[in-house]
Amino acid sequence: EAQVTQNPRYLITVTGKKLTVTCSQNMNHEYMSWYRQDPGLGLRQIYYSMNVEVTDKGDVPEGYKVSRKEKRNFPLILESPSPNQTSLYFCASSLYQGAYEQYFGPGTRLTVT
Amino acid sequence: DAKTTQPPSMDCAEGRAANLPCNHSTISGNEYVYWYRQIHSQGPQYIIHGLKNNETNEMASLIITEDRKSSTLILPHATLRDTAVYYCIVRVSLYGSGNTGKLIFGQGTTLQVKP
């Protein structure tokens, strides 16, 4: 089944404790990206990747890192999480950056205390 | 990318057609209209897209006005499972165009399907 998977689905952590949210897709897609969703602000793009080893900042990249060492994986790294990063996070992928259909993962609900 | 305007909420009776409007008066000639939906904090799901012709797939129909300044998503026989937030998005779809692939989600329309 074609899908985007994220882990963990739920995470409660403390300020400053490094964490990684994994994202994997099995569709051989070139393009992957991360969004965060907050009430009243909608979904905002954090980082995106056009292909392996090619990443770039989205609209809200501060406090986040990403890497794209393999085509299928695009982890989101929070080196020193803060409470303002409490949010619902979605990973997405598509065949290429302009493709009409993007596939979204199930989401990761992160709480930073 | 052009801005879109949608009503914040709509109700629809189960089994009836749901017609969700979207205004995009500043749309450019190379911009497509996309519809996605999000069911209660799940990941958004692609529904349909179009440029200027009406489109239909197994989920919905998309009607785009001749001047392309507005469109309507039609769910022909709404079910309770169609209760969701529906997003109308306008964006170019080009390979290697330099666009970031970003989808700009507005506030969308919350569709409540009632028994």
Side-chain angles (χ1 to χ4, degrees), chain B residues 24-115:
Chain B
H24 32 77
S25 58
T26 61
I27 192 169
S28 300
N30 64 347
E31 288 182 315
Y32 288 70
V33 179
Y34 299 82
W35 284 83
Y36 279 73
R37 73 179 182 183
Q38 185 176 24
I39 299 172
H40 187 58
S41 297
Q42 296 179 20
Q45 175 190 25
Y46 165 83
I47 301 173
I48 198 167
H49 77 286
L51 184 61
K52 54 183 177 181
N53 297 320
N54 298 338
E55 302 288 345
T56 296
N57 63 21
E58 65 278 4
M59 289 182 67
S61 294
L62 174 60
I63 308 298
I64 302 174
T65 58
E66 194 168 340
D67 63 7
R68 303 207 325 121
K69 292 184 177 182
S70 66
S71 60
T72 301
L73 178 74
I74 301 172
L75 307 179
H77 305 286
T79 70
L80 298 178
R81 288 176 295 179
D82 291 322
T83 292
V85 179
Y86 287 78
Y87 298 99
C88 171
I89 299 166
V90 171
R91 196 198 68 172
V92 296
S93 276
L94 297 172
Y95 184 80
S97 67
N99 77 68
T100 67
K102 177 175 62 180
L103 293 170
I104 299 176
F105 290 84
Q107 297 304 306
T109 296
T110 299
L111 175 68
Q112 182 73 47
V113 181
K114 299 186 174 181

Side-chain angles (χ1 to χ4, degrees), chain A residues 28-39:
Chain A
N28 202 36
H29 284 170
E30 289 186 353
Y31 180 85
M32 298 185 74
S33 70
W34 278 100
Y35 292 83
R36 61 177 288 174
Q37 184 172 29
D38 303 288

Side-chain angles (χ1 to χ4, degrees), chain A residues 11-17 19 78 80-87 89 109-113:
Chain A
L11 180 60
I12 300 175
T13 189
V14 296
T15 299
K17 185 177 182 182
L19 66 92
L78 285 71
S80 183
S82 63
N84 64 12
Q85 293 178 297
T86 292
S87 187
Y89 291 87
R109 188 168 292 280
L110 172 65
T111 302
V112 183
T113 61

